[in-house]
Amino acid sequence: MTAQTLPDLATPDGLFDRLRSAARPAWDRYVAHEFVRRMGDGSLPEACFRHYLVQDYLFLIHFARAYALAAFKADDLADMRAAARSMSAILDLEMGLHVKYCAGWGLDEAAMQATAEAQGTLAYTRFVLERGLAGDLLDLHVALAPCIVGYAEIAANLLADPATRLDGNPYADWIAMYADPEYRAVAAAQVALLDRLSLKRGGDARFADLTRTFDAASRLEAGFWDMGLGLLG
């Protein structure tokens, strides 16, 4: 594979950039996790990936709930409409695409719906919802950012890594999906939203609390990968 370098999506000195720097150990463990690296070189056992896909389906359900909460927490029509569009995109588009992708791995939607949430899924999704319930729109989006922006960074890192193998790699489509310009545009929009909300809602004065939220969400993201590798014993 010829390494490809995609630009960093973070705005220099913007809120996301500062949060990522402040939570660097947790962030690096998340985006450079063994699960991710083994997807890159194709050595991840397929059973681990299937388990992840099922739990990711269940995660998307709560992700949609988080955007419903974002609409409730918004205090202007523009933010309400943006939250409604995001929730609709998850329910009406992304989940359908996820189900279609999972079908290629022999996973049925009804069976995925009937699967119990793993501990890592419960911990992460309820944390995001709790931060939104206890805090404001900025707290909620800081909790969501590691997922949205992190997947774009992971895919970009894998494409830039000479150890990544795309030819014959069963996970090449996953990497391509999150390196796609359309997904990167979603991640870039999340970065811009954090900057805007930070200015509107006093992010500088709240930076220490926001860092704790971002750090915890990054650790829970790494826990999601741990969950997948847990099948290895």
Side-chain angles (χ1 to χ4, degrees), residues 3 13 27 35 43 96 105 110 115 149-150 172 183 188 211 215 217 220-221 232:
D13 296 321
W27 181 263
F35 188 101
S43 66
W105 285 85
T115 301
V149 187
Y183 185 79
T211 297
D215 181 85
L220 288 164
E221 278 283 8
L232 296 178

Side-chain angles (χ1 to χ4, degrees), residues 113-174:
Q113 286 182 2
T115 301
E117 291 178 82
Q119 182 174 339
T121 309
L122 283 165
Y124 187 24
T125 58
R126 296 337 185 259
F127 171 78
V128 170
L129 291 169
E130 186 278 332
R131 290 313 305 135
L133 287 166
D136 67 0
L137 195 59
L138 179 57
D139 293 302
L140 176 57
H141 277 290
V142 166
L144 289 168
C147 178
I148 299 168
V149 187
Y151 272 42
E153 184 169 319
I154 286 168
N157 289 348
L158 289 176
L159 288 181
D161 187 350
T164 296
R165 176 177 62 87
L166 295 180
D167 292 342
N169 184 340
Y171 312 114
D173 287 346
W174 189 96

Side-chain angles (χ1 to χ4, degrees), residues 15-191:
L15 180 59
F16 177 82
D17 188 45
R18 293 166 58 210
L19 289 170
R20 183 176 59 181
S21 294
R24 180 58 72 178
W27 181 263
D28 286 347
R29 182 173 184 274
Y30 158 44
V31 299
H33 196 279
E34 181 186 355
F35 188 101
V36 169
R37 290 186 281 106
R38 293 184 71 167
M39 277 198 292
D41 65 21
S43 66
L44 181 71
E46 293 188 4
C48 295
F49 190 67
R50 287 190 180 90
H51 180 73
Y52 154 74
L53 286 177
V54 173
Q55 293 301 314
D56 199 40
Y57 171 85
L58 299 173
F59 174 85
L60 281 173
I61 295 171
H62 296 290
F63 214 44
R65 294 177 66 210
Y67 278 106
L69 178 57
F72 174 76
K73 288 285 184 171
D75 56 11
D76 62 58
L77 286 173
D79 285 339
M80 290 177 68
R81 287 171 176 141
R85 286 194 299 269
S86 295
M87 183 179 69
S88 177
I90 293 170
L91 294 175
D92 301 329
L93 178 62
E94 188 172 354
M95 290 196 73
L97 293 173
H98 190 82
V99 168
K100 183 178 179 180
Y101 180 74
C102 289
W105 285 85
L107 299 170
D108 173 74
E109 183 174 15
M112 290 193 291
Q113 286 182 2
T115 301
E117 291 178 82
Q119 182 174 339
T121 309
L122 283 165
Y124 187 24
T125 58
R126 296 337 185 259
F127 171 78
V128 170
L129 291 169
E130 186 278 332
R131 290 313 305 135
L133 287 166
D136 67 0
L137 195 59
L138 179 57
D139 293 302
L140 176 57
H141 277 290
V142 166
L144 289 168
C147 178
I148 299 168
V149 187
Y151 272 42
E153 184 169 319
I154 286 168
N157 289 348
L158 289 176
L159 288 181
D161 187 350
T164 296
R165 176 177 62 87
L166 295 180
D167 292 342
N169 184 340
Y171 312 114
D173 287 346
W174 189 96
I175 298 169
M177 177 167 51
Y178 290 106
D180 186 85
E182 185 174 357
Y183 185 79
R184 286 178 61 78
V186 171
Q190 182 70 13
V191 170

